[in-house]
Amino acid sequence: MMFSSPIFRRSAMVLTLASGFALLPVALHAQEATTPAPAQQSTDTPAKPTQETRLSAGGPKQPKKQKAAKVAKEDRVQQTKDTKKELRKTDKFNPLAAKDSTLPDKQLYDKALVLEKKGHFEVARLDLQTLLNTYPDSQYQMRAKLAIADSWYREGGSAALAQAEQEYKDFITFFPNVPEAAEAQMRVGDIYFKQMDVPDRDYAKAISAENEYRNMLKQYPDAPAPILKEARQKLRDVQEVLATREANIAAFYGMHDNFSASIARYETVVDTYPQYSHMDDVLIGIGDAYSAQAKIVRAHPVCAPGVKEACLPEAAKSKLEQAFDSKAAAAYTRVVTEHAAAPHVEDAKERLVGMGVPLPTPTPQQLAASEELEGSRAQYNLRNRLELLVLRKPDVVTAAQIGEPPLEDAPATTAPTVQSDLEHEYAMALNPNAAAAAATAKPAASATEGEAPAETPKAALPTAGGTPTLEDVPAAGAGNSTGGSVEMSPSTPAASGGGGAGVGAEIISTGGGDTGAKPAAADNYGLPTVKPKNTTDLAPVEKPEVAPDQVNELAGKKTDPAQAADPNKKKQASPSFDKDEESSSKHKPKKGLKKLNPL
């Protein structure tokens, strides 16, 4: 019974495990003693030399480098075009690339560039400023100053870009002849380029960007070719935005029948921005404006005995129609010849056919130039359209990629100038004699060019066929004193003479009467003279009396004893305050356990 109990069995198991663990080291030692030693290598196979053997035999020898494992072609990481482009930009010629990297100023400069690439602009600027202050004679002075401006530019924001502009201009002032000055000047233009708005908003940034790019191309014509190419392209982009703005304004005036202003804006685009992507639409707009003027002329009735409304003579009407139609046809012809590859050239051809004008044929040179210009323009894709839809940026997708952008603005065409030209057309059509007089006056002026003009006396009255001026208008109180009528008759070419632009009438007589000055005591043409009823002088202004001096009535008087305070009287105590019934800012209510205290 004792050996079959659970306690006895458990004790036996413990003793067995203990004896087994005690005999385990003895068994391992016996196994090591009985294991045979490994056989020695044969004498034919040389043993590998150890490190000690190599050191004692021939000095230190470096172990051979293991070759990197080959990677399959499909598993290799290929650099994209954008990555390669950025690497080419960063791997530009750097005269300080081979300098000792252990120099302290070089270490500061390299550290700042690494921080700038990581976006830590403030820390990078601190390191660069430390370099400028600590090493004033360092060879990295110029590049450190340029790197500070670059950090402001890359940081972005209106305040940072304004600081970057100032830093770039300071760099150009201190280092005007270094190659990096051209890059700094272009970055000034890039600052305004990044802040440009869409064409129908403020265009001040676009004007500033255009001026800065033009200054860069004028001042640094020997800059590196990539920088010049980039500056020209950005200048074309800026001019594309400005031309779009002018064309949109011209289209607005055309929709509201203000043809003078519309033509002026369109002419400005043609003269100032010849590489505009929608130049065909601009020329068609000019032609449509002149066609509208011709349509207005056709709507006028011809003068006849029974016509009472505004009318035009038959000859004048035909001349005006011919003048405006010829200008419209000239604009349409420029589209067909100079912009033969433009998208809307068919619209210009349809208008020429409608006017009965034969279609012109562009020369091979014109056709090749137009195809090259239109072929350089980029096309819209899904990415471009999404960027223009989401981002508030100007549309420069279709800007020209070739050609020299104009560096000077042509004289702007204004609406008053166009309006005066239209009025001149009407005057030439209504008065043919003025055209002959102007034609004869031009050769005479060219023949006497360089000579002092002779003085001519002023005429008292306008001569027949001469142009009336302000000097011919009689002054107030002069002229026909008798009130007689002035008889006029149509002038003849012989009577009109050869000078000036006549009004088509000749003065026969003034109806008699004295032409001298009227007497001073005129009856004011029967109107009563306006004057005050009482013409007597006003009384002089009286000076106000002097105010009496102020008197202190209480001075020197004693206070009534009844009103004097009693010095022996004690101050009355303030009345008791009940917090339960009254509230006051000085006596705050009890809080917490104090509410239980009745005192």
Side-chain angles (χ1 to χ4, degrees), residues 144-162:
K145 195 164 186 61
L146 184 61
I148 291 176
D150 290 338
S151 68
W152 285 112
Y153 176 77
R154 294 179 181 178
E155 184 175 351
S158 57
L161 291 177

Side-chain angles (χ1 to χ4, degrees), residues 86-321:
E86 292 296 329
L87 290 176
R88 285 194 297 269
K89 286 184 178 180
T90 56
D91 293 344
K92 292 185 299 184
F93 174 73
N94 184 4
L96 304 177
K99 298 296 181 181
D100 189 2
S101 60
T102 60
L103 297 176
D105 53 349
K106 178 72 165 67
Q107 292 179 353
L108 278 174
Y109 180 74
D110 293 341
K111 178 185 175 184
L113 292 185
V114 172
L115 291 172
E116 184 178 338
K117 290 181 180 179
K118 292 182 178 180
H120 306 303
F121 302 108
E122 294 184 1
V123 183
R125 286 194 291 269
L126 287 176
D127 290 341
L128 292 172
Q129 196 62 42
T130 302
L131 189 153
L132 294 175
N133 298 335
T134 309
Y135 305 99
D137 299 331
S138 173
Q139 53 193 350
Y140 292 90
Q141 282 280 326
M142 180 189 69
R143 290 189 169 272
K145 195 164 186 61
L146 184 61
I148 291 176
D150 290 338
S151 68
W152 285 112
Y153 176 77
R154 294 179 181 178
E155 184 175 351
S158 57
L161 291 177
Q163 187 66 29
E165 179 186 0
Q166 187 62 40
E167 292 291 341
Y168 281 127
K169 290 184 177 179
D170 290 346
F171 179 84
I172 296 172
T173 303
F174 290 123
F175 309 99
N177 300 322
V178 297
E180 289 80 1
E183 184 178 355
Q185 179 62 38
M186 193 182 69
R187 287 289 174 265
V188 176
D190 292 344
I191 290 172
Y192 292 107
F193 187 85
K194 292 177 66 174
Q195 302 179 79
M196 277 198 316
D197 210 337
V198 291
D200 58 346
R201 292 296 180 266
D202 185 17
Y203 63 100
K205 300 296 183 182
I207 293 293
S208 300
E210 183 185 27
N211 294 334
E212 296 298 338
Y213 287 134
R214 285 178 171 177
N215 291 338
M216 185 265 167
L217 295 174
K218 292 177 184 177
Q219 296 175 4
Y220 306 98
D222 299 331
I227 296 179
L228 292 176
K229 182 179 178 181
E230 184 181 358
R232 291 192 187 98
Q233 183 56 45
K234 289 186 176 180
L235 179 57
R236 285 191 287 263
D237 294 345
V238 174
Q239 292 180 349
E240 178 78 10
V241 177
L242 295 174
T244 303
R245 173 183 174 273
E246 291 288 335
N248 292 342
I249 296 175
F252 172 81
Y253 284 131
M255 292 172 57
H256 291 76
D257 297 339
N258 191 347
F259 302 112
S260 299
S262 178
I263 294 172
R265 295 283 182 169
Y266 279 137
E267 290 288 350
T268 302
V269 174
V270 172
D271 298 337
T272 310
Y273 311 109
Q275 297 177 332
Y276 180 44
S277 59
H278 298 282
M279 186 60 70
D280 51 346
D281 295 333
V282 170
L283 293 173
I284 290 175
I286 295 175
D288 291 346
Y290 282 118
S291 296
Q293 293 285 351
K295 185 178 179 180
I296 294 174
V297 173
R298 292 189 185 95
H300 276 286
V302 180
C303 293
V307 178
K308 297 182 179 179
E309 57 183 348
C311 60
L312 287 173
E314 181 66 27
K317 184 176 180 180
S318 63
K319 288 183 179 179
L320 289 174
E321 291 179 3

